[in-house]
Amino acid sequence: MPSKPHRLVTRRMMLTGSLAATTLALASCTSKDGQAQASVSASPSKQATPRTLRLASSAPPVYLDPALANDSESFRITRQVYETLISIDPNTGSPIAGLAEAWTESEDGLRYTFTLRRGVTFHDGSAFNAKAVVANFNRWVKLPKPLAEHASEGFGHVFHHEENLPKLPTEAELKLKLEKGEELSEEQRTAETLRLAELEKLKTVFAGDLFIGKSSGGSASYFAGVEATDNYTVTLKLRRRRVGVIEAFTLPGMAIVAPNSLTGGPKTNPGESLLTAPIGTGPYKFVSNADGIVKLELFAGYWDKAKLGNNPNHPQLVEVSSISSPYNRESALMAEEIDGFDTVSVDIMRTLVRNAKVVVQRDPFSVLYLGMDRRNTWLAKADFRKAIAHAIDRGSLADKLFLQGSKAAQSILPPTFGVPDPEDTITHSVDKAKALLAGLGYKGELIEFTYPLRVSRSYLPLPERTFAQLAEDLATVGIRIKPRPIPWTDGYVQKIRSKDFTGLHLLGFSGGYRLEDDFISGILDTKEHEFGYTSKLLDSQALVARSLPAGDERTAALTGILRTLNTDLPLVPLVFPISALAFNSNVTYYPSSPMLNESYLDVQMTNSPALSS
């Protein structure tokens, strides 16, 4: 065992070279004789104060029930308490064994067989087996609609269970509506031609039977059924091939909960106890959620003994507090009141580096966007939305308010997917924006613009300042806005997706697994509520793309989706942000993940100097 720890540089740090002074030390994991040390947690009496990881997030978790959650702060906790059938390789992002140790796919892609891990127990002592998995599926299928609408990273998101088969638009519906005497511009003519060509391709696909068998949900549900073929084997049946099913099982909303927790509540939510007493198979047990702090403790019966032994410096207790201001999180770190915090903003990075704090970056796998609700009189006009897109200087926004390496976004899909942006993507041009507004006869009528308060998101670390810069860009071209700040914890997302709000808004999406449909469905499944936007063409394009294997045909289909969004413009993609966490030196390794799949069991640490040990 080396006498001094090595320096560990993350891949992102090597790429940017900007944070070489803030790398993590790699703690040794073996004893002098080369054998893995036993977990310290096995004999807590030898250590008066357990190793305690004290983290600060920007907001409290909304739901501790993973099937209902849709925010990263909730998933931050549920990923420690629960596990999924499939896990994620931390180095490649590829699917690996989780609660299912193996799986097979039928040649037609309509049947998946999972071989479950033996010797796993839930925190309440009950056994994990095929019946438990089926019980979770049955719950997801029957989840009442008011509850299912909350979720964005689970069963409904993957299987589109309540959706019906979209109807193809007619040619007349795709042609641009012109006022008397107007003629199509060359740009408009090209866009119309492409849309009509897209329709012809879709007609060929829709001429066949898209789905097979009966559905217990909507006619466009991919889910056909699930059964336990023996105690440790589960078979999933689909009604249509769904590319990325295995990857989708890594989503936190697909976590397996203890079956005993799924009964006893009211008819509206039989699993109500999961909101306050989550029970899973994960490495940490839930202790409490009070006074703004979620407390977890190591689960003594955790099945993965090898993982415990390979990292003897894991936290034994975890405390996650909510501190909404990035400056207050920074102050708490400096005062050693916490060991680390998430969502480092660009304006405190320099202070952290000067004070030799450890900064860990994540690769960009989220997108910030400006939503535009068509139920607003002015935002209903295509040229007005286009004027807004021309007015915004996305490059300047990324450079000024986001960490180095963040990029301006021209579409909703991060560059890692390799899907080219449409050729007619709108770029920054004050002159074009002004000309469009003049043609519409806009006289400075107020447009309501809402943004979240008292929160930092991985895609939006500085909401107030982001709003201010966008408002300045809009003012430059003559668009007047009426600010409407809404605290995040006052139901910000629910309010912007309600009929009561019809204006501009800031929101974003963080990817949960490496498939384009995660972003497309995650952002657009609620498009009617969030943007006042419906599109038969887009719905049909998305359905077809989900079943196409990787290759040129799939890439072309995805480019077609982006082209439709670029024409209809329900939102303006703004930035693909890099997010980061900061730690004191007692945290010597943190498993950062662009998909936020970060298990605290992998954290390496010594106890905080502020705690006796």
Side-chain angles (χ1 to χ4, degrees), residues 106 108-114 137 155 159 161 212 214 221-229 234-242 245 249:
S106 64
D108 61 5
L110 299 180
R111 183 184 296 262
Y112 290 82
T113 302
F114 299 90
F137 267 95
F155 179 81
F159 294 97
H161 187 56
I212 63 171
K214 294 182 179 180
S221 170
Y222 289 81
F223 180 74
V226 65
E227 63 178 331
T229 50
V234 171
T235 299
L236 168 68
K237 300 175 184 178
L238 301 183
R239 300 179 60 236
R240 176 175 169 82
R241 183 187 289 274
R242 172 75 162 90
V245 165
F249 272 103

Side-chain angles (χ1 to χ4, degrees), residues 521-536:
S521 293
I523 295 172
L524 298 171
D525 276 357
T526 59
K527 61 183 178 296
E528 185 173 0
H529 302 295
E530 186 174 344
F531 312 115
Y533 169 54
T534 59
S535 170
K536 295 178 182 178

Side-chain angles (χ1 to χ4, degrees), residues 97 157 162 215 266 352 362 369-370 404 457 499 570:
H157 177 64
E162 297 299 332
S215 171
L352 293 170
R362 301 185 183 98
Y369 61 80
L370 175 68
Q404 182 179 352
R457 314 302 295 162
K499 295 179 180 179

Side-chain angles (χ1 to χ4, degrees), residues 548-570:
L548 294 175
D552 292 343
E553 187 179 3
R554 179 179 178 82
T555 299
L558 293 168
T559 301
I561 290 173
L562 298 184
R563 189 183 300 117
T564 297
L565 287 174
N566 199 47
T567 300
D568 294 351
L569 211 62

Side-chain angles (χ1 to χ4, degrees), residues 175-502:
K175 290 185 176 181
L176 294 175
K177 307 298 186 293
L178 300 177
E179 299 293 335
K180 188 176 181 179
E182 280 188 324
E183 293 185 2
L184 288 177
S185 67
E186 190 62 34
E187 180 183 346
Q188 290 173 326
R189 193 179 304 279
T190 300
E192 185 177 279
T193 300
L194 288 171
R195 288 161 74 88
L196 292 173
E198 191 74 23
L199 176 60
E200 291 305 311
K201 289 190 292 184
L202 290 171
K203 284 180 180 179
T204 302
V205 178
F206 274 64
D209 293 327
L210 295 179
F211 290 84
I212 63 171
K214 294 182 179 180
S215 171
S216 58
S219 59
S221 170
Y222 289 81
F223 180 74
V226 65
E227 63 178 331
T229 50
D230 63 40
N231 283 344
Y232 292 97
T233 307
V234 171
T235 299
L236 168 68
K237 300 175 184 178
L238 301 183
R239 300 179 60 236
R240 176 175 169 82
R241 183 187 289 274
R242 172 75 162 90
V243 172
V245 165
I246 293 301
E247 289 84 352
F249 272 103
T250 66
L251 286 172
M254 299 292 287
I256 304 299
V257 309
N260 294 338
S261 301
L262 299 179
T263 59
K267 289 183 179 181
T268 54
N269 185 13
E272 189 176 60
S273 64
L274 291 167
L275 297 173
T276 53
I279 300 175
T281 62
Y284 291 91
K285 290 177 58 176
F286 175 80
V287 176
S288 64
N289 180 16
D291 301 322
I293 300 176
V294 176
K295 294 184 178 181
L296 310 173
E297 67 179 12
L298 197 68
F299 176 39
Y302 186 55
W303 60 270
D304 197 343
K305 304 303 180 187
K307 194 171 185 179
L308 284 167
N310 288 336
N311 178 21
N313 300 311
H314 56 256
Q316 296 160 299
L317 300 177
V318 176
E319 296 180 355
V320 182
S321 56
S322 171
I323 304 177
S324 61
S325 165
Y327 312 107
N328 290 345
R329 293 195 294 273
E330 176 198 19
S331 297
L333 186 72
M334 297 297 181
E336 295 186 349
E337 295 169 357
I338 57 174
D339 303 308
F341 68 86
D342 202 350
T343 322
V344 173
S345 60
V346 65
D347 51 352
I348 64 174
M349 176 67 82
R350 186 180 299 275
T351 302
L352 293 170
V353 173
R354 284 178 175 172
N355 286 273
K357 299 303 179 183
V358 176
V359 176
V360 183
Q361 291 186 327
R362 301 185 183 98
D363 287 341
F365 203 58
S366 62
V367 61
L368 170 68
Y369 61 80
L370 175 68
M372 300 184 287
D373 197 321
R374 291 189 178 198
R375 290 167 293 194
N376 177 283
T377 301
W378 284 103
L379 295 175
K381 303 177 185 297
D383 279 353
F384 194 87
R385 299 194 302 275
K386 189 180 292 187
I388 289 174
H390 278 305
I392 296 171
D393 189 344
R394 297 178 238 196
S396 175
L397 183 68
D399 291 342
K400 290 181 180 179
L401 298 181
F402 293 83
L403 297 181
Q404 182 179 352
S406 298
K407 301 294 184 183
Q410 300 299 327
S411 80
I412 62 172
L413 296 180
T416 185
F417 290 124
V419 179
D421 296 328
E423 293 180 1
D424 56 348
T425 298
I426 297 173
T427 56
H428 177 56
S429 172
V430 171
D431 290 340
K432 289 182 179 179
K434 288 182 175 180
L436 286 167
L437 294 174
L440 290 170
Y442 174 69
K443 302 299 183 183
E445 290 87 345
L446 287 174
I447 308 295
E448 196 169 31
F449 189 161
T450 191
Y451 58 95
L453 283 182
R454 297 196 285 276
V455 73
S456 298
R457 314 302 295 162
S458 60
Y459 51 76
L460 184 57
L462 296 168
E464 294 91 341
R465 290 179 60 185
T466 301
F467 160 77
Q469 180 159 333
L470 293 175
E472 184 177 340
D473 284 347
L474 296 176
T476 299
V477 302
I479 297 176
R480 297 175 63 227
I481 59 95
K482 178 182 179 181
R484 185 184 174 185
I486 299 176
W488 180 264
T489 52
D490 284 359
Y492 175 80
V493 176
Q494 288 73 23
K495 288 181 179 179
I496 63 173
R497 289 177 176 170
S498 72
K499 295 179 180 179
D500 297 330
F501 178 78
T502 57

